[in-house]
Amino acid sequence: MYSFSTAKDLLKLCKTHDTGIADIAIRYEMEYSQRHRAETIARMRKIKNVMKDAINEGINNPRKSAFRMSGGSAPKLIKALRKKKMAMSPLALRAMAYATATGETNAAMGRIAAFPTAGGAGVVPGVMLACTEVWKMSERKLLNGLFTASAIGKIIAEGATLSAAAGGCQAEVGAAIAMATAGVTEMRGGTPKQCLNAASLGLKSYLGIVCDPLGGLVAVPCIKRNTLGAATALAASDASLAGIESFIPFDEVVMAMKNIAKIMSPKLRETALGGLAVTPTGLRIRKKIGLPPIK
Amino acid sequence: MQASQQKPQESHYSIFDIAGPIMVGPSSSHTGGACKLGQIARALFHGTPDKVTFVLHGSFATVYKGHATDRALLAGVMRFKTSDPRIKDAFEIAKKNRLQYIFKTADLGRSQHPNTVKIIVEKKGRKSMSMIGSSIGGGMVQVVRIDQFDVSLHGIAGHYKTLIVWHDRGKTILDPLKKELKKHKIRIHDIQTTNVGHHALSIINMEGKRLNLKEVLALETFDGIEDVRSLTSLEKQ
């Protein structure tokens, strides 16, 4: 009854039941896994708590990842909050810091919530937890935002892919930007249409980005793409609430993502055979890890 | 290497396939999904194994070390959750538990997903079990082979009310088992049977209550049924 695979389905459900995306996502999940509302919400709360811990870990206990490629950037962004004349708002800086902290915790084999994947796990908690904190929003609003974000992720998973091995970075950090911006737009009181519009704006700006990690490890450039992805998600939400409309509807942006994934060379899909992975620095890391030279 | 998203046709994802899993980093497919595949292999095996062999294929074979795919697989076989911080220490814990482990790399065939592993679980004096499974993104997994049987088992969140039954070939052999499930008020959603020679393997997807271990073992007493394993315990990962 609450099943949806496209933005069109989702908007129709919201209209029919006169409710928001989060509520439809919760009702869908209750139906899907045959669990009560309280149980379903508690499951999301558990994920939210893991997100918080991962952020704290990255900021307060920074650790270097394998081959010392990452670690320690999140505290720098927190320090920058005290600096004058930063271009980004304190909220955006905090979102960037949290996204970075999650990515760094992940790279150091800490505990995170994949959202939607581990490689793109920073954007959603970064944006949504920073907003909750700075704007003093309730936990309920935050959990609703996370359900909205998941609904967007589901549309992308069913219409295209959430695997960088299949679709490049647009399928991980790109999907995360679409999810975060829709979630935060709902938290700010946006309508379902404004949420999906924000998702279109966010995802469009990240279409075509490839997956080219050094040595195939989730560290460089993944973490910093999460950092800047958080800023993009906030910008897309602002743009949507300012009334800017995406000329291309969300379902068609997802179609474009799938089309790009199909054309994208396998060398640019998590194989470490192209892009940043084959720069002199990338090749140096490759050698250090002990991967065979590229023919 | 051709990567393709092998998603079940006409099937929908749970919200918690997108949100989560809660896991130890760094990669949802190379670490989280690997751990889940290990868990499934362990759940498919009777008893506590004393030896496990992993044959890594594709991207699993090339970049497994940096992602701790090896530790995650082994941790899964020891029943650790994807979120267990002890995944890092899986080798040391396995040694302490006298679980012997071997990692190999091989080409398991062109048609396999790039993130694929074959897991062989053994225990002295018992029949070994082998399984081939793939990690298809975001921590989602699928099993494509159990022993000599080609299967299609999808590890989607909340959809683990599944029985795996090894049995003799024959149309009516599952009837008493079905009747027994009915007695427990369990509705059978679908049964997928693969035959090889005189043997068969059935995957039964169910709806309704969860069977406990005693009830599962009782199903093994029927004629022509060799082994029954339940994947219910994996549901809350």
Side-chain angles (χ1 to χ4, degrees):
Chain A
M1 256 172 61
Y2 294 101
S3 190
F4 62 90
S5 285
T6 60
K8 211 174 143 197
D9 294 349
L10 182 59
L11 275 177
K12 213 168 146 192
L13 280 168
C14 288
K15 212 173 161 192
T16 312
H17 298 279
D18 191 24
T19 186
I21 296 175
D23 191 40
I24 295 292
I26 293 170
R27 291 190 205 187
Y28 164 75
E29 186 58 30
M30 287 164 63
E31 182 181 271
Y32 182 94
S33 57
Q34 291 170 18
R35 284 171 209 241
H36 298 293
R37 180 175 280 264
E39 244 181 309
T40 306
I41 292 173
R43 218 169 152 190
M44 192 61 91
R45 184 177 293 119
K46 217 170 124 189
I47 289 171
K48 178 217 75 180
N49 289 337
V50 172
M51 289 174 166
K52 257 192 176 159
D53 292 346
I55 289 169
N56 284 335
E57 181 78 16
I59 291 171
N60 300 323
N61 184 21
R63 280 180 297 155
K64 289 275 175 201
S65 72
F67 307 100
R68 304 185 64 79
M69 283 197 286
S70 74
S73 293
K76 286 182 192 161
L77 282 162
I78 292 288
K79 260 194 201 151
L81 279 170
R82 273 186 261 131
K83 282 191 186 161
K84 281 179 192 150
K85 286 198 174 167
M86 294 300 273
M88 292 300 202
S89 71
L91 166 64
L93 278 174
R94 193 168 283 274
M96 287 161 68
Y98 288 1
T100 313
T102 308
E104 292 185 334
T105 300
N106 179 54
M109 280 193 80
R111 204 165 68 122
I112 55 112
F115 211 107
T117 64
V123 179
V124 173
V127 168
M128 304 195 29
L129 287 170
C131 285
T132 309
E133 236 179 271
V134 174
W135 287 334
K136 298 195 171 55
M137 286 171 160
S138 66
E139 188 203 43
R140 194 195 151 109
K141 253 198 172 145
L142 169 60
L143 294 179
N144 275 342
L146 291 173
F147 274 107
T148 300
S150 307
I152 303 302
K154 183 173 136 62
I155 293 169
I156 300 172
E158 287 171 21
T161 173
L162 290 178
S163 156
C169 194
Q170 57 168 359
E172 299 207 14
V173 173
I177 292 172
M179 291 162 67
T181 192
V184 83
T185 305
E186 163 143 339
M187 285 169 75
R188 300 168 80 181
T191 62
K193 217 174 144 192
Q194 282 171 321
C195 294
L196 283 159
N197 182 56
S200 304
L201 294 171
L203 186 53
K204 275 196 304 185
S205 77
Y206 210 83
L207 282 182
I209 305 291
V210 302
C211 178
D212 50 356
L214 271 53
L217 302 185
V218 185
V220 179
C222 322
I223 298 170
K224 283 157 200 151
R225 282 190 182 154
N226 275 275
T227 311
L228 299 182
T232 303
L234 283 169
S237 176
D238 271 1
S240 181
L241 289 177
I244 294 181
E245 278 180 37
S246 171
F247 197 70
I248 316 262
F250 188 65
D251 288 327
E252 291 181 28
V253 180
V254 173
M255 277 166 72
M257 180 179 170
K258 190 178 182 181
N259 170 263
I260 295 167
K262 227 169 116 189
I263 304 169
M264 197 181 280
S265 159
K267 288 185 180 173
L268 298 169
R269 289 193 261 122
E270 216 181 354
T271 49
L273 296 173
L276 293 169
V278 297
T279 56
T281 307
L283 293 175
R284 185 164 55 78
I285 289 292
R286 188 179 177 91
K287 208 171 157 193
K288 223 166 143 186
I289 295 173
L291 290 177
I294 298 168
K295 280 167 224 158
Chain B
M1 194 154 55
Q2 186 61 41
S4 67
Q5 175 83 343
Q6 298 177 0
K7 189 181 71 179
Q9 285 296 308
E10 299 289 321
S11 127
H12 288 284
Y13 290 116
S14 153
I15 289 295
F16 293 104
D17 284 319
I18 312 299
I22 294 168
M23 54 167 277
V24 166
S27 165
S28 43
S29 50
H30 289 77
T31 322
C35 181
K36 273 197 193 168
L37 287 168
Q39 290 166 0
I40 295 175
R42 173 66 183 83
L44 289 173
F45 186 70
H46 263 285
T48 312
D50 53 25
K51 185 181 168 192
V52 55
T53 310
F54 302 95
V55 185
L56 304 162
H57 162 92
S59 154
F60 263 18
T62 49
V63 295
Y64 75 95
K65 272 194 182 141
H67 285 127
T69 308
D70 45 1
R71 288 166 207 261
L73 282 164
L74 185 61
V77 171
M78 293 190 289
R79 284 186 160 155
F80 293 7
K81 287 186 178 178
T82 52
S83 60
D84 198 320
R86 293 177 301 166
I87 288 177
K88 265 191 284 210
D89 312 314
F91 293 150
E92 293 74 20
I93 296 170
K95 273 178 201 144
K96 224 161 82 194
N97 296 343
R98 294 178 195 284
L99 171 62
Q100 196 195 340
Y101 55 86
I102 298 165
F103 288 91
K104 294 181 194 169
T105 57
D107 188 349
L108 294 175
R110 274 187 74 87
S111 59
Q112 303 288 4
H113 187 277
N115 297 333
T116 295
V117 60
K118 181 176 183 181
I119 307 177
I120 305 152
V121 192
E122 293 168 85
K123 182 183 169 80
K124 235 184 180 164
R126 278 187 197 261
K127 205 173 64 176
S128 70
M129 192 284 302
S130 78
M131 162 197 128
I132 298 179
S134 310
S135 184
I136 57 173
M140 292 179 263
V141 297
Q142 65 178 11
V143 176
V144 294
R145 202 175 165 91
I146 297 172
D147 288 334
Q148 69 271 43
F149 306 100
D150 288 326
V151 298
S152 172
L153 177 65
H154 295 274
I156 284 181
H159 263 196
Y160 272 123
K161 278 181 191 158
T162 304
L163 284 182
I164 314 289
V165 184
W166 283 259
H167 56 93
D168 292 342
R169 191 172 187 158
K171 263 195 174 150
T172 53
I173 225 144
L174 286 178
D175 289 350
L177 187 141
K178 287 188 209 162
K179 237 182 235 165
E180 185 70 15
L181 288 178
K182 218 174 193 177
K183 258 193 228 163
H184 289 298
K185 296 215 167 100
I186 288 172
R187 202 173 76 78
I188 295 174
H189 194 267
D190 62 78
I191 301 184
Q192 181 198 118
T193 302
T194 316
N195 298 304
V196 175
H198 293 295
H199 299 280
L201 181 126
S202 290
I203 296 176
I204 305 177
N205 288 312
M206 318 173 293
E207 273 170 28
K209 81 159 210 171
R210 275 151 239 212
L211 290 172
N212 63 35
L213 183 64
K214 220 172 125 192
E215 288 162 341
V216 172
L217 292 177
L219 298 175
E220 289 185 352
T221 58
F222 295 119
D223 262 356
I225 292 185
E226 292 163 43
D227 284 318
V228 182
R229 300 296 290 157
S230 164
L231 297 186
T232 316
S233 59
L234 293 172
E235 201 180 43
K236 277 209 164 175
Q237 291 297 334

